[in-house]
Amino acid sequence: MCRKDNHERRPFLINSWQGSSAPTSALAQQMKMHAIESKKRRLPFHQLARSIKKNIVVVVFTCLFFVCLKIGYQIGTNLVGDDEDRSRSALRQPQLLRQQTHHHENREHSSRNQTQIVSRQPQRSELTQQMHHHGNGKPSPRNQTQVSRPVHPYEKIWPGLIVPDYMLKDPQYGIEFVPAGKKACFVHVGKTAGSTVGCSLGFNLHCTSKVQAPGVLPHYTTNMFHAQMYDCDDETTTFFIFVVRHPLDRWISAFNYDNPSRDWEGFRQQFGEKHFKFRSQLYAECPFNTINDVGGALSAESNVTNVCKRRAEASIDGTEHFGCHHYFNYQFHLEAIPQNATIMTLRTEHLIEDWNSVEYNLGGGKEVLGQGNNIIAHNNVNKASDGKLKYLSEQSQRKVCEKLCNEIQTYKKILQLSINLSEKQVQESVDEVMNSCPIEALATTCNDPIPNITDKLIYSRGTWLRNRST
């Protein structure tokens, strides 16, 4: 009976849900509305499957789109990289050719136990290897001590080259502790006793005797500029310290120092064919064995060829490259530094006095070097400037001084710009020039125009000068 009663009561329950006239409680009414809403929200199975499939397709296509985008980006990057590499390679070749033509006596420095400039690239071109060989023809070893050091300014100017050891300083000088506004760069003009000063400052030059000079000057002078080797940081350097000498004396020493006529074959084997050709144009192809020969060629009575006369003139004013110490002269070194540079100067003829004044201007003592000078040793002495090699007849000296006129004016300008020299000291050096070149010492202009050395600066100092010179 229970089963039957329950079965008979079931149609009544169905009717009570479906019929609107059936009496229902408030709870039953709420349950009915909930069921209707749930039925509305419930999707049929085929609609649910279609929605899921559509979402899957969207996700797949989105993933494929991003994968294709990434692949395209990588391909484009590789193509641009290849183009940039080819562009760099094309640009590097003329740069290397310029460096090969105009670089200072790298082989000469390396022959005096100096490490040559070497390429950063593991696989170097034949041209690069030729540029950076030792004088004995063997490739110069990479400086292993330079691996962890900061990049030098020279290496930023010439990417791919490493600054040679002779431009570096001994770590004992503590160059990393230079106070702000005290950093100095040493401007080493050739044949001005620059090696003597450089060794006392701590640079690895031709130092047969190297004793650390006292005071702050050796510590604050962190970098060096010598010929085409410009390693001054223009952004952080406050002072540029020149070493200068009587212009005529400097030219005489440079001519004799660069003269290979004492041993041509030995010079060729030691320094290579490139520097041999530079020298031979002046010293072999023309009859110039002494400075007096050069001075005599400038006179109207000379019987030398016009070509040799022009080379004699160019060797004096530095407009052609027959030897690095003629070519990289006062004009080059002054025009290569920033135009608003603050200059201090050490005069070779007054070295102790000027050293003390530079030291004092840097915040050191007034008399750090005594007049006895038992600290600064004379290094890289030019032994080929004795006797007849220094002789100039009166006529030859007049002609050489006349051709040196612009160099003398640049020399005077360096002295006048030096903040450590008084007017009396400047006049003292001008008076010394008057003893040998009186007309040029008093002059403010010369018969010859000042040489335009824009190309020399670009090829030797860096391409940034192109914008400054235009």
Side-chain angles (χ1 to χ4, degrees):
M1 290 297 294
C2 290
R3 289 176 182 262
K4 186 175 180 180
D5 291 342
N6 290 340
H7 178 72
E8 291 175 351
R9 203 177 291 131
R10 194 170 299 167
F12 172 74
L13 291 176
I14 294 175
N15 291 334
S16 67
W17 282 95
Q18 295 175 348
S20 59
S21 60
T24 59
S25 65
L27 178 61
Q29 186 68 25
Q30 291 178 1
M31 291 176 64
K32 180 179 178 180
M33 295 301 296
H34 178 72
I36 292 172
E37 292 297 328
S38 297
K39 186 176 181 180
K40 288 181 179 180
R41 289 195 300 267
R42 189 180 303 120
L43 290 175
F45 177 77
H46 67 280
Q47 293 182 0
L48 180 62
R50 186 182 303 165
S51 176
I52 295 174
K53 182 178 179 181
K54 182 178 180 181
N55 290 336
I56 292 174
V57 171
V58 171
V59 171
V60 170
F61 275 98
T62 302
C63 294
L64 289 175
F65 171 76
F66 283 106
V67 169
C68 293
L69 186 64
K70 183 176 181 180
I71 293 174
Y73 174 77
Q74 290 177 345
I75 293 174
T77 302
N78 292 336
L79 290 176
V80 172
D82 291 341
D83 290 340
E84 289 179 352
D85 291 340
R86 285 191 291 270
S87 298
R88 292 191 197 101
S89 177
L91 290 172
R92 187 177 299 279
Q93 292 304 319
Q95 182 188 69
L96 292 176
L97 288 172
R98 291 196 301 269
Q99 294 172 0
Q100 183 190 27
T101 303
H102 295 287
H103 258 241
H104 182 41
E105 308 297 322
N106 288 331
R107 291 174 182 161
E108 294 187 31
H109 287 297
S110 64
S111 67
R112 299 180 183 97
N113 299 321
Q114 307 302 329
T115 303
Q116 268 311 328
I117 310 168
V118 295
S119 172
R120 286 184 182 277
Q121 303 299 329
Q123 297 179 348
R124 296 172 296 175
S125 65
E126 181 179 353
L127 174 61
T128 307
Q129 294 181 18
Q130 179 184 0
M131 287 172 56
H132 305 300
H133 278 189
H134 273 296
N136 56 13
K138 298 179 181 179
S140 60
R142 176 179 290 273
N143 184 1
Q144 299 297 331
T145 62
Q146 297 178 353
V147 174
S148 60
R149 64 165 175 75
V151 177
H152 275 246
Y154 170 81
E155 297 163 348
K156 296 178 182 178
I157 296 172
W158 304 110
L161 298 182
I162 295 179
V163 65
D165 277 348
Y166 70 83
M167 300 285 291
L168 303 179
K169 294 196 68 172
D170 192 314
Q172 68 171 319
Y173 287 83
I175 60 175
E176 66 273 16
F177 302 114
V178 180
K182 299 292 186 179
K183 186 175 181 179
C185 188
F186 169 43
V187 182
H188 173 15
V189 184
K191 309 320 300 171
T192 61
S195 293
T196 295
V197 172
C199 291
S200 299
L201 292 174
F203 291 98
N204 299 319
L205 290 164
H206 321 287
C207 304
T208 54
S209 176
K210 185 175 179 180
V211 179
Q212 179 177 349
V216 299
L217 177 55
H219 296 276
Y220 293 175
T221 308
T222 60
N223 297 73
M224 182 169 67
F225 168 30
H226 179 41
Q228 88 295 342
M229 306 298 298
Y230 190 93
D231 195 40
C232 303
D233 189 340
D234 293 342
E235 295 182 359
T236 61
T237 298
T238 304
F239 304 105
F240 290 80
I241 300 177
F242 278 74
V243 181
V244 299
R245 181 184 184 184
H246 188 309
L248 179 60
D249 293 342
R250 193 196 83 83
W251 176 79
I252 292 173
S253 181
F255 179 90
N256 289 323
Y257 186 87
D258 288 338
N259 189 349
S261 61
R262 296 177 299 277
D263 185 5
W264 276 105
E265 285 306 315
F267 181 90
R268 172 182 276 174
Q269 293 177 8
Q270 185 175 5
F271 301 122
E273 196 67 24
K274 179 183 72 173
H275 297 290
F276 179 86
K277 290 180 178 179
F278 281 162
R279 302 300 196 282
S280 63
Q281 292 178 9
L282 182 69
Y283 294 99
E285 297 175 10
C286 295
F288 302 147
N289 292 321
T290 66
I291 57 173
N292 199 53
D293 295 335
V294 177
L298 302 179
S299 66
E301 299 80 16
S302 175
N303 58 0
V304 301
T305 64
N306 290 333
V307 172
C308 286
K309 182 176 181 179
R310 178 183 56 78
R311 290 177 182 177
E313 294 173 343
S315 71
I316 297 174
D317 62 20
T319 52
E320 291 189 42
H321 197 329
F322 305 116
C324 289
H325 293 93
H326 316 127
Y327 189 63
F328 297 109
N329 53 11
Y330 287 134
Q331 182 190 3
F332 171 79
H333 284 86
L334 181 60
E335 291 190 20
I337 66 174
Q339 291 178 317
N340 59 346
T342 302
I343 295 174
M344 291 194 280
T345 296
L346 302 171
R347 298 167 295 167
T348 302
E349 298 84 0
H350 308 278
L351 184 57
I352 303 302
E353 176 186 2
D354 293 349
W355 185 290
N356 286 333
S357 68
V358 171
E359 173 76 17
Y360 182 70
N361 273 274
L362 290 175
K366 288 186 177 181
E367 301 291 337
V368 66
L369 294 183
Q371 294 302 317
N373 182 25
N374 55 358
I375 301 286
I376 300 179
H378 200 178
N379 287 277
N380 195 30
V381 180
N382 188 358
K383 298 179 181 179
S385 287
D386 296 330
K388 67 176 184 179
L389 296 178
K390 287 186 175 181
Y391 171 73
L392 271 175
S393 68
E394 184 177 345
Q395 181 182 13
S396 294
Q397 182 169 308
R398 277 201 311 271
K399 290 297 183 180
V400 172
C401 287
E402 182 180 348
K403 201 62 187 175
L404 275 175
C405 181
N406 285 309
E407 266 294 272
I408 292 173
Q409 305 314 310
T410 304
Y411 170 76
K412 289 159 57 177
K413 184 177 181 179
I414 294 172
L415 297 176
Q416 293 164 355
L417 291 173
S418 301
I419 65 171
N420 68 304
L421 299 180
S422 65
E423 292 183 7
K424 180 180 178 181
Q425 291 171 316
V426 172
Q427 187 59 47
E428 181 181 28
S429 294
V430 173
D431 291 342
E432 292 168 355
V433 176
M434 287 185 63
N435 293 331
S436 51
C437 301
I439 298 176
E440 292 73 25
L442 293 173
T444 56
T445 59
C446 304
N447 294 332
D448 295 330
I450 298 175
N452 185 343
I453 62 170
T454 300
D455 288 340
K456 185 200 297 191
L457 291 169
I458 291 172
Y459 296 149
S460 303
R461 166 64 174 87
T463 54
W464 69 274
L465 283 164
R466 184 182 299 277
N467 295 328
R468 194 182 79 168
S469 60
T470 55

